[in-house]
Amino acid sequence: MLNNKTIVLGITGSIAAYKAAEIASRLTQAGSKVNVIMTKEAIQFISPVTLRAVTGSPVVTEMFDLASEFSIEHISLAQAADIVVIAPATANIIAKLAAGIADDMLCCTVLATKAPVLIAPAMETNMYNNPATQDNLTRLEARGFEIIGPASGWLASGKEGVGRLADINDIIGSICQVLGRDGDLAGKHLVVTAGGTQEPIDPVRYISNRSSGKMGYALAEAARDRGAKVTLVTAHTSLSEPAGVDIMQAGTAQEMYQAVQGVAPHADALVMAAAVADYRPIKAAKDKIKKDKAELTLKLELTPDILGSVKGDFIKVGFAAESINLVENAREKLKQKGLDLIIANDITAGDSGFDTDTNRVTIIDREGKIESLPLMPKREVADKVLDRVAALLSKRSKR
Ligand code: C5P
């Protein structure tokens, strides 16, 4: 998503300016060309040398810099940008942008660009809550500016409150979302499930599986980056929640069943990447089970088959983790559960399937067509799956 993109990163005079170096570095590492513009206040907080070093590109700090490689800078930067990001954005820059003031390089670039503009406010709580700042943000939003954060937490004033720069992962996620908003899934609603459900045995123990949630989270992020509205129904994982997607927590198979039944029938597609426990204890013990017997027998019952039972006119995609007869078993599941696609993965290889960053999958459709993909990062597998979902959706809209 970020590869080969040109991003103008505007940095203004907030204590959080030091975090802009991390943002610039992450964007650069992801393959973007990052052109940094710093206000003169920002330079008080972080040196342009740092930004120059992490981006490998000149940093603009003045309106008329005769040594710069850019011709008329605000015009050339504005034209080249795929997105302008202002992080952190102070109350002052927000006020200037709302008023259309053009007295520094950053304001001029924003006025001159046709690219989307994403603003990440960071300031003291009262300044943020002040009606003047709120009015300015509302005006910017009404003009199509995207706003991320601020978050709540510890502030430089020593108090806790709203006003912290949004989490860097969330800012990067929002950049991806904005860049991809006209993608091939724009206007579509996808429900993705992820993670392994945990079925309680007693208040402290549960039955679960080795699912990391990585495949489902990659699918949710990839769908978001192609313009979809995404609902991620997630069981427990150790991953951080992707920005720009609606999160529904579902710890057990039953909770996931209820969440999916509620949301999927209104969606365009359901992709069930979650490893739903097949069995659960019939009754979880109220108190912690004591180890006072040599043997313990747990009585298990089947969990509801979520994919097999959810009804509606949406594309249904399932996963089949198999250790034997991959294709035959997957085909059988596709039929049984009435799916449009099934993604079969061979879990016998150590580099594929559960708790890995890569996956080797075979995509099988209703017509029985088989597409075997080589080992690839889960994000790439996600895009391959979504290529097929997008094709099915566009076929549908032509019906
Ligand atoms: O039958 P099996 O568990 O192998 O099927 C895998 C597919 O079915 C996955 O997409 C999984 O998310 C889904 N599933 C489900 N409800 C269950 C068990 C699995 O929706 N109780």
Side-chain angles (χ1 to χ4, degrees):
M1 186 78 237
L2 294 167
N3 197 26
N4 288 327
K5 292 292 189 298
T6 301
I7 299 177
V8 168
L9 176 63
I11 308 175
T12 66
S14 151
I15 316 265
Y18 74 94
K19 295 181 184 171
E22 171 76 12
I23 299 171
S25 171
R26 295 262 301 269
L27 295 172
T28 307
Q29 286 174 49
S32 292
K33 175 165 177 49
V34 182
N35 293 319
V36 173
I37 303 176
M38 299 178 74
T39 62
K40 60 183 190 306
E41 292 81 15
I43 296 167
Q44 303 296 317
F45 291 93
I46 180 169
S47 165
V49 177
T50 308
L51 278 306
R52 173 82 179 83
V54 295
T55 62
S57 295
V59 173
V60 177
T61 55
E62 293 189 30
M63 191 76 172
F64 300 102
D65 181 354
L66 298 178
S68 163
E69 69 171 41
F70 304 110
S71 41
I72 310 171
E73 279 174 327
H74 62 288
I75 306 292
S76 54
L77 288 175
Q79 281 175 350
D82 291 302
I83 184 171
V84 176
V85 181
I86 306 181
T90 55
N92 188 40
I93 190 80
I94 289 166
K96 288 208 293 184
L97 294 178
I101 292 171
D103 67 349
D104 68 20
M105 191 62 187
L106 185 54
C107 292
C108 289
T109 304
V110 172
L111 278 175
T113 194
K114 290 242 184 277
V117 182
L118 174 71
I119 290 182
M123 67 197 77
E124 191 269 331
T125 305
N126 290 337
M127 284 177 84
Y128 175 69
N129 284 332
N130 191 294
T133 306
Q134 290 299 315
D135 278 358
N136 289 331
L137 284 168
T138 306
R139 281 161 72 189
L140 290 178
E141 238 171 341
R143 277 186 223 148
F145 285 62
E146 304 286 339
I147 294 161
I148 168 91
S152 290
W154 192 86
L155 297 166
S157 61
K159 292 190 188 139
E160 298 259 333
V162 66
R164 271 172 75 83
L165 183 70
D167 182 82
I168 291 179
N169 281 330
D170 291 347
I171 294 175
I172 307 267
S174 283
I175 294 172
C176 293
Q177 183 180 26
V178 173
L179 285 170
R181 66 187 175 186
D182 298 324
D184 59 354
L185 293 175
K188 304 292 182 204
H189 179 195
L190 266 71
V191 177
V192 177
T193 67
T197 64
Q198 298 180 342
E199 310 302 329
I201 297 170
D202 70 13
V204 292
R205 304 180 179 98
Y206 55 80
I207 297 176
S208 192
N209 54 63
R210 291 186 194 282
S211 169
S212 62
K214 285 178 184 169
M215 193 61 241
Y217 277 50
L219 278 157
E221 288 179 357
R224 172 201 68 192
D225 296 352
R226 295 166 77 143
K229 167 182 156 60
V230 179
T231 304
L232 175 61
V233 181
T234 178
H236 174 82
T237 74
S238 54
L239 305 171
S240 45
E241 290 179 357
V245 315
D246 296 332
I247 305 278
M248 291 175 86
Q249 300 286 345
T252 63
Q254 186 61 28
E255 285 165 7
M256 191 167 278
Y257 174 81
Q258 276 155 350
V260 170
Q261 293 284 349
V263 72
H266 313 290
D268 296 291
L270 166 66
V271 184
M272 286 269 325
V276 185
D278 291 325
Y279 289 93
R280 65 185 170 205
I282 291 181
K283 202 168 184 324
K286 204 159 91 339
D287 297 306
K288 188 178 168 204
I289 298 171
K290 294 263 173 260
K291 53 170 177 183
D292 51 7
K293 299 184 208 86
E295 279 185 8
L296 177 71
T297 305
L298 289 174
K299 268 204 140 175
L300 306 179
E301 64 182 359
L302 268 174
T303 55
D305 185 344
I306 304 170
L307 252 184
S309 60
V310 60
K311 300 271 178 291
D313 184 28
F314 51 87
I315 303 287
K316 270 192 194 184
V317 183
F319 274 73
E322 304 289 344
S323 52
I324 45 167
N325 299 337
L326 184 74
V327 171
E328 295 91 291
N329 285 341
R331 261 205 190 122
E332 190 50 40
K333 274 179 199 172
L334 177 134
K335 240 196 254 156
Q336 237 177 39
K337 299 185 191 226
L339 309 181
D340 295 280
L341 293 175
I342 193 148
I343 321 303
N345 54 337
D346 181 353
I347 50 167
T348 53
D351 52 7
S352 171
F354 279 42
D355 204 13
T356 57
D357 290 327
T358 48
N359 218 351
R360 184 183 287 107
V361 304
T362 301
I363 304 179
I364 305 167
D365 64 15
R366 259 172 201 258
E367 284 74 46
K369 214 179 93 202
I370 295 177
E371 184 186 4
S372 289
L373 299 172
L375 186 73
M376 49 174 83
K378 284 186 172 170
R379 173 57 192 252
E380 283 175 31
V381 174
D383 273 310
K384 291 283 186 196
V385 172
L386 294 179
D387 287 347
R388 301 290 296 267
V389 172
L392 286 170
L393 285 170
S394 91
K395 214 155 110 195
R396 226 169 221 233
S397 60
K398 285 190 199 122
R399 273 200 319 222

